[in-house]
Amino acid sequence: MKSIRTSCWIALSVLFAVACGDRKDPAPASNFKYDGKTYELNVGYYESYGANGDGSYDMDIFLMAESSDSTSSTLDGVYLDLNTSSAEGLVAGTYTFAEERKAFSMVDGSVSIHYNTVDETGDEYGIVGGTVEIAGTGSTYEITFDLTLDNSKQVTGTYKGKLLPFE
């Protein structure tokens, strides 16, 4: 699973560098807190993997910081593997960490801090518990999370803004 996440982070960092190089609109006030430090989140992507076969739908979310250096391959970000109850996209509600896929569950995820997608260095921690609250619909969301990581530390945060399709 880590190789899939790493591949997604690499693809997203390249996409981000190209797509956001000339961005002029102000970023939303979004961030996550880990180990006493605050990390900015100002761009979000989603990728839909379709039906799970149990009435739920697999939707992966990538939230990360826009770097002032668009050539950088180092990022801070949060990856959430959510399962929604609608084929149309995320449904407002609380998604709780679970071992099995079902509607309103989160089965995987990670938090990356100063993670270099080229040489795979930096810190990346798996999510082993917690909740994600989704508000909003369509292209604009407020995503609030309180997560337990595989190093027994907590990460909390909020992302307010658009979720762009990962292509």
Side-chain angles (χ1 to χ4, degrees):
M1 183 57 85
K2 183 173 179 171
S3 64
I4 293 172
R5 283 195 307 254
T6 300
S7 297
C8 288
W9 280 125
I10 291 168
L12 282 171
S13 66
V14 170
L15 174 68
F16 183 74
V18 172
C20 295
D22 295 329
R23 183 178 169 166
K24 294 184 178 33
D25 58 323
S30 303
N31 61 62
F32 70 95
K33 293 176 177 65
Y34 171 77
D35 207 21
K37 294 183 182 175
T38 301
Y39 300 88
E40 187 174 7
L41 294 173
N42 56 19
V43 65
Y45 293 95
Y46 73 89
E47 186 166 14
S48 177
Y49 288 97
N52 289 321
D54 65 354
S56 69
Y57 300 86
D58 187 354
M59 180 79 65
D60 287 7
I61 306 297
F62 299 88
L63 308 171
M64 63 181 126
E66 177 178 6
S67 171
S68 59
D69 176 9
S70 64
T71 63
S72 175
S73 57
T74 303
L75 60 87
D76 300 320
V78 177
Y79 158 67
L80 304 167
D81 184 346
L82 303 177
N83 298 281
T84 184
S85 62
S86 172
E88 303 302 314
L90 288 175
V91 173
T94 301
Y95 294 71
T96 303
F97 190 83
E99 295 295 319
E100 296 181 17
R101 292 187 185 278
K102 60 184 175 184
F104 296 98
S105 70
M106 170 182 44
V107 296
D108 193 20
S110 64
V111 174
S112 298
I113 299 172
H114 304 306
Y115 188 78
N116 186 305
T117 59
V118 174
D119 60 17
E120 297 183 15
T121 59
D123 296 319
E124 185 175 35
Y125 305 103
I127 296 170
V128 297
T131 59
V132 176
E133 185 75 31
I134 303 289
T137 58
S139 63
T140 303
Y141 292 92
E142 181 171 345
I143 302 171
T144 305
F145 49 90
D146 185 352
L147 308 168
T148 303
L149 304 178
D150 57 9
N151 64 356
S152 300
K153 294 189 178 186
Q154 295 293 121
V155 64
T156 60
T158 300
Y159 173 81
K160 297 177 184 178
K162 293 183 177 185
L163 290 178
L164 306 170
F166 177 67
E167 300 172 1

